[in-house]
Amino acid sequence: MMGLVLFLIMAGILVLLVVLIWFTSVRIEILYKRENKNDRGEIKISALGGLVRFRVNLPEVKWTGMDEGMQVEGTVKGQTTAAKMAKEKGKVKLNRRTFQQFRFYYHEFVERFDQFHKTIRWFLSKVTFEKLTWVTKIGTGDAAESGILTGVAWGIKTTLIGFFSQYTRWREAPQLTIHPEFNREVLETYFHSIIRFRVGHAILGAKRLLLHMRTGRERTTWQNIQFKA
């Protein structure tokens, strides 16, 4: 009898923990600031009212043009073999060729898992933007070029916000600002965003993706067998 009671108590505690985790909200705060060619950025992840907290410092980003691309430099601490290898490869270059390769693999991924976009849209509908502030100061020293870049920057910002606005919920309207500099060369920005979602929705989204990935692999294997036959 005591064993049954103990089992029921443990089962009740387990169910309570599962429900608690399922409905727990995750808060992600992203802060990035570039001023006077100095980068500073971090990502803060918290849950359970701040009892669980993680903090990740974003690496430094150096922009040298589209041909050279941008170079990402980060600091890795630790004495393990993986950490030492990461130190040796601490610089990552992203240029035109890298973006083309990424685009190719992305389209291949989407074609293979045709439900990818549907799952992403479903998850975004469960995300709430609590805050979004994005201020940019841009200029090349030439008035005409600065005007063109300002228009391009506005286009990028409004396109991104328009995409997310189709699916996500906003607690307050996003604050977007661009300050063109016509007499000097400058690229400075301030980005601050806070989003929130439930752990249960993230679990369901991951489960859907894994299911579609398995279905996609099975379909591809079957098509290959038919082709060989």
Side-chain angles (χ1 to χ4, degrees):
M1 188 67 179
M2 287 297 296
L4 179 60
V5 173
L6 183 61
F7 172 77
L8 292 176
I9 292 175
M10 295 299 294
I13 294 176
L14 181 61
V15 170
L16 182 62
L17 287 175
V18 171
V19 172
L20 178 62
I21 293 175
W22 189 270
F23 288 97
T24 296
S25 292
V26 177
R27 183 178 185 269
I28 300 180
E29 181 178 3
I30 303 174
L31 176 64
Y32 176 77
K33 184 177 182 180
R34 176 181 176 84
E35 187 176 8
N36 295 326
K37 297 184 179 181
N38 295 319
D39 298 295
R40 181 176 68 87
E42 60 183 12
I43 300 176
K44 298 179 182 178
I45 304 174
S46 60
L48 296 175
L51 294 178
V52 179
R53 290 183 292 181
F54 298 95
R55 183 174 178 177
V56 179
N57 291 324
L58 297 177
E60 183 180 359
V61 179
K62 295 182 179 180
W63 174 257
T64 54
M66 196 60 203
D67 293 329
E68 292 293 330
M70 59 183 177
Q71 183 170 285
V72 181
E73 297 183 3
T75 303
V76 180
K77 297 182 179 180
Q79 300 299 323
T80 63
T81 303
K84 293 179 180 179
M85 291 177 63
K87 287 180 181 179
E88 295 176 359
K89 300 178 181 180
K91 296 182 180 180
V92 179
K93 279 193 174 183
L94 303 177
N95 51 27
R96 191 188 303 273
R97 181 180 178 184
T98 307
F99 286 117
Q100 289 175 347
Q101 291 176 343
F102 173 79
R103 184 179 179 183
F104 170 77
Y105 289 123
Y106 171 76
H107 285 296
E108 187 179 64
F109 180 85
V110 173
E111 289 177 2
R112 185 173 181 181
F113 311 121
D114 53 358
Q115 297 295 321
F116 175 75
H117 279 151
K118 185 181 293 185
T119 302
I120 294 299
R121 289 195 296 266
W122 174 85
F123 177 70
L124 287 177
S125 68
K126 309 301 180 183
V127 174
T128 299
F129 269 90
E130 296 187 348
K131 181 178 183 180
L132 177 61
T133 302
W134 194 357
V135 181
T136 303
K137 185 180 293 186
I138 189 170
T140 64
D142 181 89
E145 291 181 354
S146 299
I148 294 174
L149 282 178
T150 300
V152 171
W154 270 119
I156 293 174
K157 288 189 177 186
T158 54
T159 299
L160 289 174
I161 298 302
F163 171 78
F164 285 105
S165 297
Q166 297 179 63
Y167 312 108
T168 58
R169 293 165 290 181
W170 297 82
R171 180 164 295 182
E172 61 180 51
Q175 301 177 10
L176 307 178
T177 306
I178 296 181
H179 300 289
E181 292 284 341
F182 300 106
N183 300 319
R184 65 188 182 109
E185 183 177 348
V186 61
L187 176 59
E188 298 179 352
T189 189
Y190 172 81
F191 181 88
H192 185 204
S193 176
I194 301 176
I195 63 174
R196 187 184 295 273
F197 57 87
R198 288 181 180 177
V199 174
H201 292 147
I203 294 174
L204 283 178
K207 182 180 178 181
R208 289 187 178 187
L209 284 178
L210 290 175
L211 178 62
H212 298 323
M213 289 171 66
R214 186 175 65 180
T215 305
R217 284 196 297 267
E218 292 175 353
R219 184 170 59 249
T220 302
T221 303
W222 175 248
Q223 290 174 350
N224 291 337
I225 293 175
Q226 288 183 320
F227 178 77
K228 291 178 180 179

